[in-house]
Amino acid sequence: MQKVLNLFDFKQKVDYKIEILAGVTVAMTMIPESLSFAILAGFPPLVGLYGAFIMGLITAIFGGRPGLISGGAGATVIVLIALMQSHGLEYVFGAVALAGVIQIIVGLFKLGKFIRLVPHPVMFGFVNGLAVIIFMSQFEQFKQVTNGTSEWLSGSPLLTMSALVALTIAIILIFPKITKAVPASLVAIIVVFAVVIGFNIDTKQVVDIASVSGSLPPFHIPEIPFTWETFMIILPYGAIMAAVGLTEGLLTLNLVDEITATKGNSNRECLAQGGANIANGFFYGMGGCPMIAQTLVNLSAGSRARLSGIVAALTILLIILVGAPIIELVPMAALTGVMIMVAIGTFEWASFKAFTKMPKADILVMVIVTLITIFLHNLALAVLVGVIISALIFAWESAKRIRARKYVDENGIKHYELFGPLFFGSTTAFAEKFDVNNDPNEIIIDFAESRISDMSAIDAVNKITERYAKVGKTVHLKHLSADCIDLLKNAEAIIDVNILEDPTYKVAVEKV
């Protein structure tokens, strides 16, 4: 069965009590977030819960690694708000399904590996930005809507909410010192729930956000015209949602890899996420991606298997079907306290220590990514900008590393032994190494410790040989690697690399 399905590692030892309790805890933290984001986007509340259930179940079973929790994440939902406002819910379902198709294509072509190109400072910035977003979003629970206007709580309601949040945080901090047999987050939710019910405390509850009662997700084909115009409307939203989901998902997967010291499968995660979003589009869900906050709740509860994710998804479904009257009474203060502690645990506090040890360029990248994540809530843009800046910094540093050792041998031939890569960033420094007018009639450029990397490098070689040719001097290229030779051959139709006595770009021999 293991070889055929390849879904579960049957050799893995599973602690069923920890997995089930962790799954229940994750469900408790996922429900208010899914409801909040659905309402924020203008979706019916149940669309958010259906999205959490479908994403959670499919990715828990088929996803790229155990322990990773997916649901109706705000990062992807935010992308769809403009489409909801302009074209309505049916177009949103079409865009969600299209995002799933794009994600499956990425998985089939095994493009998930390119997440390795994300540098560590970008990861730091990404995680810190998300932690701040999670923390700041909890302040919304300290507001109430009066006559259509959102206002901060004051007086007794504010003191009650603050006290219950503080009680939740205190339990989460203290309870692990007593025992780790039960997740502290779940204990905190139960205790605060009991206090509110037992003392009949008037405070904000889940039901104040929305009702969570409903039926099984209904099959529903998006009611949109199947035309090219419709496709072009939903394509940008679907593509951006797919990119944001994969970016957040694969970065979260890498984060879980680091925490658990195990290795996940990025391409399999792309396929699972894509399949789950397609199902969302046809089963009345708002779609989503891996959720870093709920994943960290899951891991901190001790989960290391797929079972917790499955339990979380089934718990959400069970709550929708029969448990809504009870869950609707859970104080929002308890869930807020849990999410605040998750935000504190998510933040990479070690990054502050790194400020004195990291290169200034890496600190700059980390800060920029953090700020973009916090203020624009665009995770894909934040990571993309971070990768681009890191790449440019690397190119700049690499460009400064090219150097040349120069000497004239007993035959009167001048040698230039290059060190470092020759590419678009180092071509100027390369050209400055040569003294065309004062050099002897024969020159050897030795690439034993260098390589020609791109078309800019080929053009630089071409120009330097032309400069020597104009004054009647000959240039030989020596110790070119096989790929450099192929690159020069492929460029024959575009650039004439002027290498006299070596028209086929063979490595020059010692005797010339």
Side-chain angles (χ1 to χ4, degrees):
M1 183 182 293
Q2 184 179 7
K3 292 181 179 179
V4 175
L5 297 179
N6 194 28
L7 297 180
F8 300 95
D9 181 2
F10 294 104
K11 297 178 182 178
Q12 181 182 14
K13 184 178 179 180
V14 177
D15 189 321
Y16 290 96
K17 184 183 73 172
I18 288 180
E19 294 296 321
I20 292 172
L21 291 176
V24 172
T25 306
V26 167
M28 292 299 100
T29 61
M30 192 181 295
I31 287 172
E33 188 166 338
S34 299
L35 288 172
S36 299
F37 282 122
I39 294 170
L40 175 67
F43 305 153
L46 275 176
V47 171
L49 292 183
Y50 287 151
F53 163 65
I54 295 170
M55 288 298 303
L57 184 63
I58 294 177
T59 55
I61 297 174
F62 299 99
R65 63 154 305 111
L68 196 64
I69 300 295
S70 295
T76 53
V77 173
I78 289 172
V79 173
L80 302 172
I81 292 178
L83 181 61
M84 177 66 185
Q85 294 173 343
S86 61
H87 290 83
L89 189 60
E90 298 298 327
Y91 278 79
V92 168
F93 291 144
V96 170
L98 180 59
V101 172
I102 294 172
Q103 289 170 332
I104 285 181
I105 292 173
V106 171
L108 289 175
F109 284 93
K110 301 185 183 302
L111 302 178
K113 61 187 177 183
F114 287 107
I115 195 66
R116 300 170 189 166
L117 297 177
V118 179
H120 206 63
V122 176
M123 282 282 289
F124 269 161
F126 167 81
V127 172
N128 290 346
L130 276 180
V132 173
I133 290 175
I134 294 170
F135 182 82
M136 296 299 294
S137 66
Q138 302 314 305
F139 288 103
E140 291 298 316
Q141 305 305 330
F142 289 85
K143 295 181 179 180
Q144 62 181 354
V145 178
T146 306
N147 298 325
T149 304
S150 180
E151 299 177 347
W152 288 97
L153 295 175
S154 60
S156 180
L158 176 60
L159 292 176
T160 301
M161 185 74 174
S162 301
L164 292 174
V165 170
L167 175 61
T168 305
I169 294 174
I171 294 172
I172 294 174
L173 291 174
I174 297 172
F175 191 78
K177 298 178 181 179
I178 301 173
T179 177
K180 295 183 180 179
V182 182
S185 299
L186 182 57
V187 172
I189 293 172
I190 294 173
V191 170
V192 174
F193 177 82
V195 169
V196 170
I197 298 299
F199 291 93
N200 195 26
I201 298 175
D202 182 19
T203 187
K204 193 174 182 181
Q205 298 171 312
V206 170
V207 70
D208 295 322
I209 297 180
S211 172
V212 297
S213 178
S215 60
L216 288 171
F219 178 73
H220 173 78
I221 298 176
E223 297 177 0
I224 56 178
F226 290 92
T227 62
W228 179 255
E229 289 75 15
T230 301
F231 177 75
M232 293 308 296
I233 290 172
I234 65 175
L235 178 61
Y237 296 97
I240 295 173
M241 179 181 176
V244 170
L246 291 178
T247 300
E248 183 167 2
L250 295 178
L251 288 177
T252 305
L253 185 144
N254 274 9
L255 187 65
V256 178
D257 286 352
E258 291 183 11
I259 293 174
T260 62
T262 56
K263 183 66 177 174
N265 188 322
S266 57
N267 293 311
R268 179 170 167 176
E269 181 61 34
C270 295
L271 293 172
Q273 194 177 145
N277 275 318
I278 291 175
N280 266 273
F282 288 96
F283 282 92
Y284 224 72
M286 68 180 182
C289 67
M291 305 173 74
I292 189 169
Q294 279 68 25
T295 297
L296 290 171
V297 167
N298 189 42
L299 295 177
S300 64
S303 171
R304 294 296 182 270
R306 295 181 183 273
L307 182 59
S308 61
I310 297 172
V311 169
L314 294 178
T315 300
I316 292 173
L317 178 61
L318 188 64
I319 289 169
I320 293 172
L321 298 178
V322 298
I326 297 175
I327 297 303
E328 288 175 351
L329 299 179
V330 172
M332 287 304 302
L335 301 175
T336 300
V338 170
M339 296 307 292
I340 288 175
M341 290 306 297
V342 167
I344 293 173
T346 301
F347 197 91
E348 289 282 359
W349 299 100
S351 59
F352 286 124
K353 297 180 181 178
F355 265 71
T356 58
K357 300 178 181 178
M358 290 172 60
K360 292 181 180 179
D362 287 347
I363 295 174
L364 174 66
V365 169
M366 183 176 68
V367 171
I368 289 175
V369 173
T370 300
L371 293 177
I372 293 176
T373 303
I374 293 172
F375 291 105
L376 299 184
H377 288 207
N378 191 327
L379 307 182
L381 176 63
V383 173
L384 179 62
V385 170
V387 170
I388 291 175
I389 294 176
S390 298
L392 292 175
I393 292 172
F394 174 78
W396 175 259
E397 293 298 325
S398 297
K400 294 191 295 185
R401 291 194 183 107
I402 192 165
R403 59 192 190 280
R405 176 173 173 264
K406 311 168 189 177
Y407 67 91
V408 178
D409 64 18
E410 64 277 7
N411 297 318
I413 301 173
K414 188 168 184 179
H415 294 249
Y416 287 87
E417 294 181 349
L418 297 181
F419 298 85
L422 180 57
F423 67 110
F424 68 91
S426 59
T427 54
T428 301
F430 167 79
E432 293 173 352
K433 304 295 182 187
F434 299 93
D435 186 1
V436 177
N437 294 326
N438 297 320
D439 279 349
N441 290 331
E442 286 193 84
I443 307 297
I444 292 179
I445 305 177
D446 192 337
F447 284 88
E449 301 295 333
S450 180
R451 58 178 290 119
I452 297 174
S453 303
D454 57 15
M455 290 300 297
S456 297
I458 295 175
D459 183 51
V461 173
N462 177 59
K463 286 179 178 178
I464 200 66
T465 56
E466 285 181 344
R467 287 171 59 193
Y468 278 107
K470 286 179 181 179
V471 293
K473 299 177 181 179
T474 304
V475 174
H476 304 271
L477 302 188
K478 184 179 179 182
H479 291 146
L480 283 171
S481 62
D483 56 339
C484 293
I485 294 173
D486 290 338
L487 192 61
L488 288 169
K489 286 182 178 179
N490 294 335
E492 283 180 329
I494 304 173
I495 297 175
D496 178 22
V497 181
N498 183 15
I499 307 175
L500 301 179
E501 300 181 12
D502 194 12
T504 59
Y505 313 122
K506 294 180 180 177
V507 176
V509 294
E510 291 292 334
K511 185 177 180 179
V512 293

